Amino acid sequence: MREYNFDGIVGPTHNYGGLSPGNLASALHGGEVSHPREAALQGLEKMRFVAELGVGQGVLPPQPRPSLRALRALGFSGTDEEVITRAGQEAEHLLRLTSSSAAMWTANAATGAPSEDTADGRMHLTPANLQQMFHRALEAETTYAVLRSIFADEKHFAIHAPLPGGGHFADEGAANHTRLVTPGHKAVHLLAWGRSAWRDDVRHPTRFPARQTYEASQALARLHKLEPAQVLLPQQAPEGIDAGAFHTDVMAVGNQSFLMLHELAFVDPQGLLKTLREKLGDGFTYVLATNEELPARDAVKAYPFNSQVLTLPDGSMAIIAPEESRETEPARRFLERVVAENNPVKRVYYLDVRQSMNNGGGPACLRQRVWLTDTERAAVKANVFYTPELHEALAGWVKRHYREDLRAKDLADPKLARETMTALDELTRILNLGSVYDFQQ
């Protein structure tokens, strides 16, 4: 079984809308001029870098934005051009919400479980409903269509519909999921959550909203047919959420036998680590940052935990961190300590994903982890696995179709929507996805 990192291609409407309460970077950069072409090319370069390390790499497409279907459902009628013009004049905030390119953060696209962990021996994926934020909730239907197109063989793959139930089952995807495994032990799935719809014994954050519910995490474990002993449901620390760690992957990241976390990632982190050691044995290693060593504000600013931790072909691990982690001294010193200690991580690479970071998404936000056997990999017929030829095709596609700069007022330009549809229609042919978008139906 091999891990593939499916990165989201940054969309043509990449902009800084400031739409996400609790996401400090999004709020800080709201209203600034964005650079969609640069952002998409930065993402492609990250994919190239990971692939050249010998790690499995795939791509997921952007979504059509603005969402004309959503605008029509909200009462705007007429031609596509008339819908966008009227929305821009009467409800500029709605136009910003429906133009978000946040689907590029594919850590929120779905939660998965590999076939070796599931009772039916299939790889499972459940698209996240992202009910906590309106602009993200628009993604689920298209994500479901895309994943069903890529992983179409039902003999090998179980692609579930997004969880129902609105806020009661609010699901934020793999940004709250960590899979850990050691030789001779079954994998353990951490399905973290920030609030409960029904339990009255839970502390909640007071400054920012908790997004994932306990009930959603329970449902994912059932859907993916995981043994109860394989599943842990740790609560995100309310103090961490209030510091800006809206998802678990802002304060913790794990890979195979290794977990890197901040003491404000979870309620009772020491108890969680003890349980993990009991389940995974002595092969389990971790590095814990205290708030004194790495203040939460610096962890949220620099995103050292929103790094990718990757297993390389020689069995060692490497961290792919954002440049901001190198530039922020407490974050850099912490990562240097990780490499110096007795664990599988031997190197840190710093990459420039600043266009994404300015909206609150680091390297880990940009990828969905999917575990596939060789047989399962062969069952995927879409052209979504990284090759130098695909990279060249995608880079050329971006340069042909993406604007260099994008300002808030540009979202009201009907030509932008037409440019985006033209680009995405071509992209589905490059990736061999079929008609996955509503405008293609």
Coordinates of all heavy atoms in Angstrom, one line a residue, residues 165-209:
G165 N -27.7 16.1 7.7 CA -28.0 16.6 9.1 C -27.6 18.0 9.5 O -27.7 18.4 10.6
G166 N -27.0 18.8 8.5 CA -26.7 20.2 8.8 C -25.6 20.2 9.9 O -24.7 19.4 10.0
G167 N -25.8 21.2 10.9 CA -24.9 21.5 11.9 C -24.6 20.3 12.9 O -23.6 20.2 13.5
H168 N -25.6 19.4 13.0 CA -25.5 18.3 14.0 C -24.3 17.4 13.5 O -23.7 16.8 14.4 CB -26.8 17.5 14.1 CG -27.8 18.2 14.9 ND1 -28.6 19.3 14.5 CD2 -28.2 18.0 16.2 CE1 -29.4 19.7 15.4 NE2 -29.2 18.9 16.5
F169 N -24.2 17.2 12.2 CA -23.1 16.4 11.7 C -22.1 17.1 10.9 O -21.7 16.7 9.8 CB -23.8 15.2 10.9 CG -24.6 14.3 11.8 CD1 -25.9 14.4 12.0 CD2 -23.9 13.3 12.5 CE1 -26.7 13.6 12.8 CE2 -24.7 12.4 13.3 CZ -26.0 12.6 13.5
A170 N -21.8 18.3 11.3 CA -20.8 19.1 10.6 C -19.5 18.4 10.5 O -18.9 18.0 11.5 CB -20.6 20.5 11.3
D171 N -19.0 18.2 9.3 CA -17.8 17.4 9.0 C -16.8 18.3 8.2 O -17.2 18.8 7.2 CB -18.2 16.2 8.3 CG -17.0 15.4 7.8 OD1 -15.9 15.4 8.4 OD2 -17.2 14.6 6.8
E172 N -15.6 18.4 8.7 CA -14.6 19.2 8.0 C -13.5 18.4 7.3 O -12.5 19.0 6.9 CB -13.9 20.1 9.1 CG -14.8 21.1 9.7 CD -15.2 22.3 8.7 OE1 -14.2 22.9 8.2 OE2 -16.4 22.5 8.5
G173 N -13.7 17.1 7.2 CA -12.8 16.3 6.4 C -11.5 15.9 7.1 O -11.4 15.9 8.3
A174 N -10.5 15.6 6.3 CA -9.3 15.0 6.8 C -8.4 16.0 7.6 O -7.4 15.6 8.2 CB -8.5 14.4 5.7
A175 N -8.8 17.3 7.6 CA -8.1 18.2 8.4 C -8.2 17.9 9.9 O -7.4 18.4 10.7 CB -8.6 19.6 8.1
N176 N -9.2 17.0 10.2 CA -9.3 16.6 11.6 C -9.1 15.1 11.8 O -9.4 14.5 12.8 CB -10.7 16.9 12.1 CG -10.9 18.4 12.4 OD1 -10.1 19.0 13.0 ND2 -12.0 18.9 11.9
H177 N -8.4 14.5 10.8 CA -8.2 13.0 10.8 C -6.7 12.8 10.7 O -5.9 13.4 9.9 CB -8.9 12.4 9.6 CG -8.5 11.0 9.4 ND1 -8.0 10.5 8.2 CD2 -8.6 9.9 10.3 CE1 -7.8 9.1 8.4 NE2 -8.2 8.8 9.6
T178 N -6.2 11.8 11.5 CA -4.8 11.4 11.5 C -4.8 9.8 11.6 O -5.5 9.3 12.5 CB -4.0 11.9 12.6 OG1 -4.1 13.4 12.6 CG2 -2.5 11.5 12.5
R179 N -4.1 9.2 10.7 CA -3.9 7.7 10.7 C -2.5 7.4 11.1 O -1.5 7.9 10.6 CB -4.2 7.1 9.3 CG -4.0 5.6 9.3 CD -4.3 5.1 7.9 NE -4.2 3.6 7.8 CZ -3.1 2.9 7.6 NH1 -1.9 3.6 7.3 NH2 -3.1 1.6 7.5
L180 N -2.4 6.6 12.2 CA -1.1 6.2 12.7 C -1.0 4.7 12.7 O -2.0 4.0 13.0 CB -0.9 6.7 14.1 CG -0.9 8.3 14.3 CD1 -1.0 8.6 15.8 CD2 0.3 8.9 13.7
V181 N 0.2 4.1 12.4 CA 0.4 2.7 12.4 C 1.8 2.4 12.6 O 2.7 3.1 12.2 CB -0.1 2.1 11.0 CG1 0.8 2.6 9.9 CG2 -0.2 0.6 11.0
T182 N 2.1 1.3 13.3 CA 3.4 0.7 13.5 C 3.5 -0.7 13.1 O 2.4 -1.4 13.1 CB 3.8 0.9 15.0 OG1 2.9 0.2 15.8 CG2 4.0 2.4 15.4
P183 N 4.7 -1.3 12.8 CA 4.8 -2.7 12.5 C 4.2 -3.6 13.6 O 4.5 -3.4 14.7 CB 6.3 -2.9 12.3 CG 6.8 -1.5 11.9 CD 6.0 -0.6 12.7
G184 N 3.4 -4.6 13.1 CA 2.9 -5.5 14.1 C 1.6 -5.1 14.8 O 1.1 -5.8 15.7
H185 N 1.2 -3.8 14.6 CA 0.0 -3.3 15.2 C -1.0 -2.8 14.2 O -0.6 -2.3 13.1 CB 0.4 -2.2 16.2 CG 1.2 -2.6 17.3 ND1 2.6 -2.8 17.2 CD2 0.9 -2.9 18.6 CE1 3.1 -3.2 18.3 NE2 2.1 -3.2 19.2
K186 N -2.3 -2.9 14.5 CA -3.3 -2.3 13.6 C -3.2 -0.8 13.7 O -2.9 -0.2 14.7 CB -4.7 -2.8 14.0 CG -4.9 -4.3 13.7 CD -6.4 -4.6 14.0 CE -6.6 -6.1 13.6 NZ -8.1 -6.4 13.9
A187 N -3.6 -0.2 12.5 CA -3.7 1.3 12.5 C -4.7 1.9 13.4 O -5.7 1.2 13.8 CB -4.0 1.7 11.0
V188 N -4.4 3.0 13.9 CA -5.3 3.8 14.8 C -5.7 5.1 14.0 O -4.8 5.8 13.5 CB -4.6 4.2 16.1 CG1 -5.5 5.1 16.9 CG2 -4.2 2.9 16.9
H189 N -7.0 5.3 14.0 CA -7.5 6.5 13.4 C -7.9 7.5 14.4 O -8.8 7.3 15.2 CB -8.7 6.2 12.5 CG -8.3 5.4 11.2 ND1 -8.3 5.9 10.0 CD2 -8.0 4.1 11.1 CE1 -7.9 5.0 9.1 NE2 -7.8 3.9 9.8
L190 N -7.3 8.7 14.4 CA -7.7 9.8 15.3 C -8.7 10.6 14.5 O -8.4 11.2 13.5 CB -6.5 10.7 15.7 CG -5.3 10.1 16.3 CD1 -4.3 11.1 16.7 CD2 -5.7 9.2 17.5
L191 N -10.0 10.7 15.0 CA -11.0 11.5 14.3 C -11.4 12.5 15.3 O -12.3 12.4 16.2 CB -12.2 10.6 14.0 CG -11.9 9.6 12.8 CD1 -13.0 8.5 12.8 CD2 -11.8 10.3 11.5
A192 N -10.7 13.7 15.2 CA -10.9 14.7 16.2 C -12.1 15.6 16.0 O -12.7 15.6 14.8 CB -9.6 15.6 16.2
W193 N -12.5 16.3 17.0 CA -13.8 17.1 16.9 C -13.6 18.3 17.8 O -12.8 18.3 18.8 CB -15.0 16.3 17.2 CG -14.9 15.5 18.5 CD1 -14.2 14.4 18.8 CD2 -15.3 16.0 19.8 NE1 -14.2 14.0 20.1 CE2 -14.9 15.0 20.8 CE3 -16.1 17.1 20.3 CZ2 -15.2 15.1 22.1 CZ3 -16.4 17.2 21.6 CH2 -16.0 16.2 22.5
G194 N -14.4 19.3 17.6 CA -14.4 20.5 18.4 C -15.6 20.8 19.3 O -15.5 21.6 20.2
R195 N -16.7 20.2 18.9 CA -18.0 20.5 19.6 C -18.9 19.3 19.5 O -18.7 18.4 18.6 CB -18.7 21.7 19.1 CG -19.2 21.7 17.7 CD -19.8 23.0 17.2 NE -20.1 22.9 15.8 CZ -21.3 22.6 15.3 NH1 -22.3 22.1 16.1 NH2 -21.6 22.6 14.0
S196 N -19.9 19.2 20.3 CA -20.9 18.2 20.3 C -22.3 18.8 20.2 O -22.6 19.8 20.8 CB -20.8 17.3 21.6 OG -21.9 16.4 21.6
A197 N -23.1 18.2 19.3 CA -24.4 18.6 19.1 C -25.3 18.3 20.3 O -26.3 19.0 20.6 CB -25.0 18.1 17.9
W198 N -25.0 17.2 21.0 CA -26.0 16.7 22.1 C -25.3 16.6 23.4 O -26.0 16.7 24.4 CB -26.5 15.3 21.6 CG -27.4 15.5 20.5 CD1 -28.6 16.2 20.4 CD2 -27.3 14.8 19.2 NE1 -29.1 16.1 19.1 CE2 -28.4 15.2 18.4 CE3 -26.4 13.9 18.7 CZ2 -28.6 14.8 17.1 CZ3 -26.5 13.5 17.3 CH2 -27.6 13.9 16.6
R199 N -24.0 16.3 23.5 CA -23.4 16.1 24.8 C -23.4 17.4 25.6 O -23.1 18.5 25.1 CB -22.0 15.5 24.7 CG -22.0 14.1 24.2 CD -20.6 13.7 23.9 NE -19.6 13.8 25.0 CZ -18.4 13.5 25.0 NH1 -17.8 13.0 23.9 NH2 -17.6 13.7 26.0
D200 N -23.7 17.3 26.9 CA -23.6 18.5 27.8 C -22.4 18.5 28.7 O -22.4 19.3 29.6 CB -24.9 18.6 28.6 CG -25.2 17.4 29.4 OD1 -24.3 16.5 29.6 OD2 -26.3 17.3 30.0
D201 N -21.5 17.6 28.5 CA -20.3 17.5 29.3 C -19.0 18.0 28.6 O -17.9 17.7 29.0 CB -20.0 16.1 29.8 CG -19.8 15.1 28.6 OD1 -20.2 15.5 27.5 OD2 -19.2 14.0 28.8
V202 N -19.2 18.9 27.6 CA -18.1 19.3 26.7 C -17.9 20.8 26.8 O -18.8 21.6 26.8 CB -18.4 19.0 25.2 CG1 -17.4 19.6 24.3 CG2 -18.5 17.5 25.0
R203 N -16.6 21.2 27.0 CA -16.2 22.6 27.0 C -16.1 23.0 25.5 O -15.5 22.3 24.7 CB -14.9 22.8 27.7 CG -15.0 22.8 29.2 CD -13.7 23.3 29.8 NE -12.5 22.6 29.3 CZ -11.5 23.2 28.6 NH1 -11.7 24.5 28.3 NH2 -10.5 22.5 28.2
H204 N -16.6 24.2 25.2 CA -16.5 24.7 23.9 C -15.7 26.0 23.8 O -15.6 26.7 24.9 CB -17.9 25.0 23.3 CG -18.7 23.8 23.0 ND1 -20.0 23.6 23.4 CD2 -18.4 22.6 22.4 CE1 -20.5 22.4 23.0 NE2 -19.5 21.8 22.4
P205 N -15.1 26.3 22.7 CA -14.4 27.6 22.6 C -15.3 28.8 22.8 O -16.5 28.6 22.5 CB -13.8 27.6 21.2 CG -14.6 26.6 20.4 CD -15.0 25.6 21.4
T206 N -14.8 29.9 23.1 CA -15.6 31.1 23.4 C -15.4 32.2 22.4 O -16.2 33.1 22.2 CB -15.4 31.6 24.8 OG1 -14.0 31.9 25.0 CG2 -15.8 30.6 25.9
R207 N -14.3 32.2 21.7 CA -13.9 33.2 20.8 C -14.3 32.9 19.3 O -14.8 33.7 18.6 CB -12.4 33.5 20.9 CG -11.9 34.7 20.0 CD -10.4 34.9 20.1 NE -9.9 35.9 19.3 CZ -8.6 36.1 18.9 NH1 -7.7 35.2 19.3 NH2 -8.3 37.1 18.2
F208 N -13.9 31.7 18.9 CA -14.1 31.3 17.5 C -15.0 30.0 17.5 O -15.0 29.2 18.5 CB -12.8 31.0 16.8 CG -12.0 32.3 16.6 CD1 -10.6 32.3 17.0 CD2 -12.5 33.4 16.1 CE1 -9.8 33.4 16.8 CE2 -11.7 34.6 15.9 CZ -10.4 34.6 16.3
P209 N -15.6 29.7 16.4 CA -16.5 28.5 16.3 C -15.7 27.2 16.2 O -14.7 27.2 15.5 CB -17.3 28.8 15.1 CG -16.5 29.7 14.2 CD -15.7 30.6 15.2

